[in-house]
């Protein structure tokens, strides 16, 4: 085969390349020409007038013919009496316009939801993780047998199977037309079966794999239609809640006489957790008013109730149940307080996370009621512990994907104008408005923060949650004022919640600054400091906007959409 000589490459000049491009792509240049002309006439040509700032302008002589004066006018302006007044007013108006036009309320709610994701990711991962037994021997990935499966591993297995049951329940009820009554009976039986499986089969993984699993799970759960997982899981988990409450009450009433409560009374104004004010009121308020619950109530619950009349029963009933649960939690902590404080580990538990303290304490009460040993060698203790931790983990997972779903809605609102269809937005703004993008961003941030210890997140989340509750009261008060109804009953709790939570955040900022100044501050310290400062700034901005709204309403001004206000009267 004859080898052909390849001609040498000759580099073309810039002129030749331009000429070649014009001949072959002339139609593109024709399309581009109007754009060039537009910007040349309306953007670049007017810049010629900037020369006037450096000339003693004479109309007859024109801009170019007028004499140069250099920086004469600039020097006069900078040295004038009104210079700083003009600068202050200009910056003030700009900042005010930014504050009014910026979606501060949405940003604030997003920060709180990120804390929700971080807090419950840490809680669930702590509840599921299991690596070594009480003797320090590492577990296999799968352990079989009630004597071999740890409490956390059993909870992990049961929680995963609960998700499967919820999906099956949702499919048959919402897509196959199965009646709710028989399906509920089968679902409850299924919960009993998976609990038995979980007691005998444990999945043992460290914290990091569980955090990755949680991230994948809440991403999918928050993007799926609510009938696939959210509704059926919440419905079935309500029976877990009822069973947990009954079991806990039986344990408290029957086992208290045979148990020791070692939780000491609080006798001072300050403890390791902080000052009595505002810590006490933030802790107590979580069972009575919650910003996260206000978001859930308006974002998901309101879309699932049959009638608006049901909202009162559901809202009030939920707070009553949560208050009872708070009392049971206090009793549970008092039961195993010596394990939490002394570091004992006779139960084979790490008594540090809220779920293990709660489940371990109530399981101890049930075991004491029957006169049996309170550790995992007792099948009764093991079963009660697994059921209680299952209930806690299920509700934590519910909070996770509900918070992620709400955060996705709010993240999308940042990039969608009023009346605009997110699906029709193009460009980078349209990319950010996609549900998948917002979900991944929120999950990545929240679950990354979930690596921190629960105590590093929970205090900040508690204050932020109650601060959002105060802002929710403000929003309702503004709405009532718009429609001409009395809103005075909201002012006292609103102001109290704002003062208590802002005080807590200021204390957090002060403590974290001291830690940074002392040196050696890790990323959790910086995280708490940055989040606390951001929450304070956003809360102050939103509060100022609310005060201005109340002031206008006091003068009889309608501050909302007049047509919408009239429709609600």
């Amino acid at each position: 085969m004859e080898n052909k000589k390849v001609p040498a490459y000759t580099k073309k000049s810039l002129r030749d390349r331009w000429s070649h491009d014009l001949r072959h792509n002339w139609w593109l240049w024709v399309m581009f020409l109007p754009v060039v002309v537009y910007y040349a006439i309306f953007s670049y040509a007017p810049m010629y007038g900037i020369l006037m700032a450096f000339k003693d302008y004479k109309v007859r002589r024109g801009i170019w013919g007028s004499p140069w004066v250099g920086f004469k006018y600039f020097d006069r302006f900078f040295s004038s009496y009104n210079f700083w007044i003009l600068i202050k007013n200009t910056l003030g108006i700009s900042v005010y316009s930014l504050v009014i036009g910026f979606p501060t309320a949405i940003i604030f709610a997003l920060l709180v939801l990120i804390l929700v994701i971080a807090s419950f990711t840490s809680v669930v991962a702590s509840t599921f993780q299991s690596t070594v037994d009480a003797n320090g021997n590492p577990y296999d990935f799968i352990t079989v047998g009630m004597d071999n499966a740890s409490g956390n591993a059993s909870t992990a297995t049961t929680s995963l199977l609960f998700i499967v049951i919820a999906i099956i329940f949702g499919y048959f009820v919402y897509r196959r037309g199965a009646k709710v009554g028989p399906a509920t009976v089968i679902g409850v039986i299924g919960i009993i079966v998976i609990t038995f499986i979980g007691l005998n089969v444990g999945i043992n993984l460290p914290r990091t794999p569980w955090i990755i699993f949680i991230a994948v799970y809440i991403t999918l759960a928050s993007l799926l239609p609510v009938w696939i997982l959210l509704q059926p899981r919440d419905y079935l988990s309500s029976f877990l809640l009822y069973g947990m409450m009954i079991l806990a009450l039986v344990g408290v009433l029957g086992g208290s006489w045979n148990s020791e409560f070692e939780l000491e009374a609080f006798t001072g104004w300050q403890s390791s957790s902080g000052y009595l004010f505002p810590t006490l009121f933030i802790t107590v308020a979580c069972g009575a008013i919650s910003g996260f619950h206000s978001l859930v109530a308006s974002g998901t619950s309101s879309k699932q109730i049959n009638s608006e009349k049901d909202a009162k029963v559901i809202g009030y009933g939920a707070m009553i149940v949560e208050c009872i649960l708070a009392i049971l939690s206090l009793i549970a902590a008092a039961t195993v307080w010596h394990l939490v404080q002394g570091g004992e580990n006779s139960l084979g538990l790490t008594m540090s996370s809220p779920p293990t303290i709660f489940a371990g304490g109530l399981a101890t009460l049930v075991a004491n009621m029957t006169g049996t040993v309170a550790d995992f060698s007792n099948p009764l203790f093991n079963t009660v512990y697994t059921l209680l931790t299952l209930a806690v983990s299920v509700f934590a997972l519910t909070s996770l994907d509900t918070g992620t779903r709400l955060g996705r809605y709010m993240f999308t609102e940042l990039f969608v104008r009023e009346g605009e269809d997110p699906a029709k937005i193009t460009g980078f703004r349209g990319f950010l408005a996609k549900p998948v993008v917002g979900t991944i961003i929120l999950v990545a941030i929240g679950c990354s923060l979930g690596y921190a210890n629960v105590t590093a997140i929970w205090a900040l989340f508690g204050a932020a949650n109650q601060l959002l509750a105060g802002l929710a009261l403000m929003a309702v008060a503004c709405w009532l004022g718009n429609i001409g109804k009395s809103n005075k009953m909201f002012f006292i709790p609103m102001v109290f919640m704002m003062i208590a939570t802002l005080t807590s955040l200021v204390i957090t900022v002060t403590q974290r600054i001291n830690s940074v100044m002392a040196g050696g501050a890790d990323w959790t310290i910086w995280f708490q400091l940055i989040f606390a400062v951001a929450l304070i700034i956003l809360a102050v901005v939103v509060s100022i906007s609310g005060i201005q709204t109340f002031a206008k309403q006091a003068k009889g001004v309608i501050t909302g959409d007049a047509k919408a206000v009239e429709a609600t009267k």
Side-chain angles (χ1 to χ4, degrees), residues 138-156:
Y139 283 118
D140 295 330
F141 173 61
I142 300 292
T143 49
V144 180
M146 186 174 291
D147 295 334
N148 299 321
S150 69
N152 285 10
S154 295
T155 301

PDB file of all heavy atoms in Angstrom, residues 138-156:
ATOM      1  N   PRO A 138     -16.695  -6.015  67.917  1.00  0.00           N
ATOM      2  CA  PRO A 138     -17.430  -5.468  66.769  1.00  0.00           C
ATOM      3  C   PRO A 138     -18.540  -6.410  66.306  1.00  0.00           C
ATOM      4  O   PRO A 138     -18.387  -7.628  66.315  1.00  0.00           O
ATOM      5  CB  PRO A 138     -16.343  -5.318  65.700  1.00  0.00           C
ATOM      6  CG  PRO A 138     -15.277  -6.298  66.081  1.00  0.00           C
ATOM      7  CD  PRO A 138     -15.299  -6.347  67.578  1.00  0.00           C
ATOM      8  N   TYR A 139     -19.671  -5.808  65.912  1.00  0.00           N
ATOM      9  CA  TYR A 139     -20.785  -6.574  65.372  1.00  0.00           C
ATOM     10  C   TYR A 139     -20.534  -6.916  63.904  1.00  0.00           C
ATOM     11  O   TYR A 139     -19.826  -6.197  63.202  1.00  0.00           O
ATOM     12  CB  TYR A 139     -22.086  -5.761  65.453  1.00  0.00           C
ATOM     13  CG  TYR A 139     -22.713  -5.696  66.822  1.00  0.00           C
ATOM     14  CD1 TYR A 139     -22.860  -4.471  67.469  1.00  0.00           C
ATOM     15  CD2 TYR A 139     -23.193  -6.841  67.448  1.00  0.00           C
ATOM     16  CE1 TYR A 139     -23.464  -4.388  68.715  1.00  0.00           C
ATOM     17  CE2 TYR A 139     -23.791  -6.768  68.705  1.00  0.00           C
ATOM     18  CZ  TYR A 139     -23.919  -5.548  69.331  1.00  0.00           C
ATOM     19  OH  TYR A 139     -24.516  -5.476  70.562  1.00  0.00           O
ATOM     20  N   ASP A 140     -21.147  -8.022  63.458  1.00  0.00           N
ATOM     21  CA  ASP A 140     -21.221  -8.286  62.034  1.00  0.00           C
ATOM     22  C   ASP A 140     -22.241  -7.340  61.411  1.00  0.00           C
ATOM     23  O   ASP A 140     -23.058  -6.734  62.108  1.00  0.00           O
ATOM     24  CB  ASP A 140     -21.635  -9.733  61.775  1.00  0.00           C
ATOM     25  CG  ASP A 140     -20.583 -10.723  62.261  1.00  0.00           C
ATOM     26  OD1 ASP A 140     -19.399 -10.353  62.249  1.00  0.00           O
ATOM     27  OD2 ASP A 140     -20.971 -11.844  62.670  1.00  0.00           O
ATOM     28  N   PHE A 141     -22.203  -7.211  60.073  1.00  0.00           N
ATOM     29  CA  PHE A 141     -23.154  -6.338  59.385  1.00  0.00           C
ATOM     30  C   PHE A 141     -24.597  -6.752  59.687  1.00  0.00           C
ATOM     31  O   PHE A 141     -25.457  -5.911  59.966  1.00  0.00           O
ATOM     32  CB  PHE A 141     -22.905  -6.366  57.877  1.00  0.00           C
ATOM     33  CG  PHE A 141     -23.932  -5.623  57.073  1.00  0.00           C
ATOM     34  CD1 PHE A 141     -24.127  -4.257  57.251  1.00  0.00           C
ATOM     35  CD2 PHE A 141     -24.724  -6.293  56.161  1.00  0.00           C
ATOM     36  CE1 PHE A 141     -25.087  -3.572  56.523  1.00  0.00           C
ATOM     37  CE2 PHE A 141     -25.681  -5.616  55.413  1.00  0.00           C
ATOM     38  CZ  PHE A 141     -25.861  -4.257  55.592  1.00  0.00           C
ATOM     39  N   ILE A 142     -24.869  -8.047  59.682  1.00  0.00           N
ATOM     40  CA  ILE A 142     -26.180  -8.586  60.032  1.00  0.00           C
ATOM     41  C   ILE A 142     -26.020  -9.516  61.226  1.00  0.00           C
ATOM     42  O   ILE A 142     -25.184 -10.424  61.204  1.00  0.00           O
ATOM     43  CB  ILE A 142     -26.816  -9.368  58.862  1.00  0.00           C
ATOM     44  CG1 ILE A 142     -26.997  -8.462  57.639  1.00  0.00           C
ATOM     45  CG2 ILE A 142     -28.161  -9.970  59.274  1.00  0.00           C
ATOM     46  CD1 ILE A 142     -28.034  -7.380  57.812  1.00  0.00           C
ATOM     47  N   THR A 143     -26.807  -9.266  62.266  1.00  0.00           N
ATOM     48  CA  THR A 143     -26.817 -10.153  63.426  1.00  0.00           C
ATOM     49  C   THR A 143     -28.194 -10.789  63.537  1.00  0.00           C
ATOM     50  O   THR A 143     -29.210 -10.114  63.401  1.00  0.00           O
ATOM     51  CB  THR A 143     -26.493  -9.390  64.720  1.00  0.00           C
ATOM     52  OG1 THR A 143     -27.316  -8.219  64.793  1.00  0.00           O
ATOM     53  CG2 THR A 143     -25.039  -8.973  64.750  1.00  0.00           C
ATOM     54  N   VAL A 144     -28.220 -12.087  63.781  1.00  0.00           N
ATOM     55  CA  VAL A 144     -29.462 -12.848  63.834  1.00  0.00           C
ATOM     56  C   VAL A 144     -29.636 -13.397  65.239  1.00  0.00           C
ATOM     57  O   VAL A 144     -28.689 -13.916  65.840  1.00  0.00           O
ATOM     58  CB  VAL A 144     -29.463 -14.004  62.798  1.00  0.00           C
ATOM     59  CG1 VAL A 144     -30.775 -14.778  62.875  1.00  0.00           C
ATOM     60  CG2 VAL A 144     -29.242 -13.460  61.401  1.00  0.00           C
ATOM     61  N   GLY A 145     -30.862 -13.318  65.745  1.00  0.00           N
ATOM     62  CA  GLY A 145     -31.167 -13.810  67.080  1.00  0.00           C
ATOM     63  C   GLY A 145     -31.361 -12.669  68.055  1.00  0.00           C
ATOM     64  O   GLY A 145     -30.626 -11.676  68.025  1.00  0.00           O
ATOM     65  N   MET A 146     -32.351 -12.825  68.935  1.00  0.00           N
ATOM     66  CA  MET A 146     -32.662 -11.754  69.883  1.00  0.00           C
ATOM     67  C   MET A 146     -31.498 -11.473  70.821  1.00  0.00           C
ATOM     68  O   MET A 146     -31.289 -10.337  71.254  1.00  0.00           O
ATOM     69  CB  MET A 146     -33.920 -12.115  70.673  1.00  0.00           C
ATOM     70  CG  MET A 146     -34.416 -11.005  71.580  1.00  0.00           C
ATOM     71  SD  MET A 146     -35.986 -11.385  72.377  1.00  0.00           S
ATOM     72  CE  MET A 146     -37.113 -11.359  70.993  1.00  0.00           C
ATOM     73  N   ASP A 147     -30.723 -12.501  71.131  1.00  0.00           N
ATOM     74  CA  ASP A 147     -29.600 -12.309  72.041  1.00  0.00           C
ATOM     75  C   ASP A 147     -28.422 -11.612  71.369  1.00  0.00           C
ATOM     76  O   ASP A 147     -27.540 -11.081  72.045  1.00  0.00           O
ATOM     77  CB  ASP A 147     -29.138 -13.666  72.600  1.00  0.00           C
ATOM     78  CG  ASP A 147     -30.207 -14.326  73.461  1.00  0.00           C
ATOM     79  OD1 ASP A 147     -31.038 -13.590  74.026  1.00  0.00           O
ATOM     80  OD2 ASP A 147     -30.210 -15.571  73.546  1.00  0.00           O
ATOM     81  N   ASN A 148     -28.404 -11.620  70.039  1.00  0.00           N
ATOM     82  CA  ASN A 148     -27.270 -11.064  69.303  1.00  0.00           C
ATOM     83  C   ASN A 148     -27.542  -9.661  68.751  1.00  0.00           C
ATOM     84  O   ASN A 148     -26.625  -8.854  68.606  1.00  0.00           O
ATOM     85  CB  ASN A 148     -26.890 -11.990  68.138  1.00  0.00           C
ATOM     86  CG  ASN A 148     -26.471 -13.370  68.622  1.00  0.00           C
ATOM     87  OD1 ASN A 148     -25.791 -13.501  69.640  1.00  0.00           O
ATOM     88  ND2 ASN A 148     -26.876 -14.407  67.889  1.00  0.00           N
ATOM     89  N   ALA A 149     -28.798  -9.374  68.406  1.00  0.00           N
ATOM     90  CA  ALA A 149     -29.135  -8.076  67.814  1.00  0.00           C
ATOM     91  C   ALA A 149     -29.221  -7.011  68.901  1.00  0.00           C
ATOM     92  O   ALA A 149     -29.948  -7.175  69.885  1.00  0.00           O
ATOM     93  CB  ALA A 149     -30.458  -8.173  67.060  1.00  0.00           C
ATOM     94  N   SER A 150     -28.487  -5.917  68.722  1.00  0.00           N
ATOM     95  CA  SER A 150     -28.543  -4.817  69.684  1.00  0.00           C
ATOM     96  C   SER A 150     -29.841  -4.031  69.525  1.00  0.00           C
ATOM     97  O   SER A 150     -30.547  -4.151  68.517  1.00  0.00           O
ATOM     98  CB  SER A 150     -27.344  -3.883  69.485  1.00  0.00           C
ATOM     99  OG  SER A 150     -27.455  -3.188  68.252  1.00  0.00           O
ATOM    100  N   GLY A 151     -30.152  -3.210  70.524  1.00  0.00           N
ATOM    101  CA  GLY A 151     -31.384  -2.420  70.473  1.00  0.00           C
ATOM    102  C   GLY A 151     -31.402  -1.467  69.303  1.00  0.00           C
ATOM    103  O   GLY A 151     -32.409  -1.326  68.595  1.00  0.00           O
ATOM    104  N   ASN A 152     -30.277  -0.776  69.039  1.00  0.00           N
ATOM    105  CA  ASN A 152     -30.222   0.166  67.925  1.00  0.00           C
ATOM    106  C   ASN A 152     -30.318  -0.549  66.584  1.00  0.00           C
ATOM    107  O   ASN A 152     -30.963  -0.060  65.649  1.00  0.00           O
ATOM    108  CB  ASN A 152     -28.920   0.966  67.983  1.00  0.00           C
ATOM    109  CG  ASN A 152     -28.958   2.024  69.075  1.00  0.00           C
ATOM    110  OD1 ASN A 152     -29.862   2.043  69.897  1.00  0.00           O
ATOM    111  ND2 ASN A 152     -27.965   2.890  69.091  1.00  0.00           N
ATOM    112  N   ALA A 153     -29.657  -1.710  66.466  1.00  0.00           N
ATOM    113  CA  ALA A 153     -29.712  -2.467  65.219  1.00  0.00           C
ATOM    114  C   ALA A 153     -31.124  -2.964  64.942  1.00  0.00           C
ATOM    115  O   ALA A 153     -31.593  -2.971  63.798  1.00  0.00           O
ATOM    116  CB  ALA A 153     -28.733  -3.638  65.267  1.00  0.00           C
ATOM    117  N   SER A 154     -31.821  -3.399  65.990  1.00  0.00           N
ATOM    118  CA  SER A 154     -33.214  -3.843  65.839  1.00  0.00           C
ATOM    119  C   SER A 154     -34.106  -2.686  65.408  1.00  0.00           C
ATOM    120  O   SER A 154     -34.981  -2.836  64.541  1.00  0.00           O
ATOM    121  CB  SER A 154     -33.724  -4.433  67.156  1.00  0.00           C
ATOM    122  OG  SER A 154     -33.017  -5.608  67.491  1.00  0.00           O
ATOM    123  N   THR A 155     -33.876  -1.522  65.985  1.00  0.00           N
ATOM    124  CA  THR A 155     -34.655  -0.340  65.607  1.00  0.00           C
ATOM    125  C   THR A 155     -34.420   0.022  64.147  1.00  0.00           C
ATOM    126  O   THR A 155     -35.361   0.378  63.421  1.00  0.00           O
ATOM    127  CB  THR A 155     -34.270   0.852  66.499  1.00  0.00           C
ATOM    128  OG1 THR A 155     -34.508   0.512  67.867  1.00  0.00           O
ATOM    129  CG2 THR A 155     -35.081   2.079  66.139  1.00  0.00           C
ATOM    130  N   ALA A 156     -33.170  -0.062  63.695  1.00  0.00           N
ATOM    131  CA  ALA A 156     -32.853   0.254  62.305  1.00  0.00           C
ATOM    132  C   ALA A 156     -33.585  -0.687  61.352  1.00  0.00           C
ATOM    133  O   ALA A 156     -34.199  -0.259  60.371  1.00  0.00           O
ATOM    134  CB  ALA A 156     -31.347   0.174  62.083  1.00  0.00           C
TER     135      ALA A 156
END
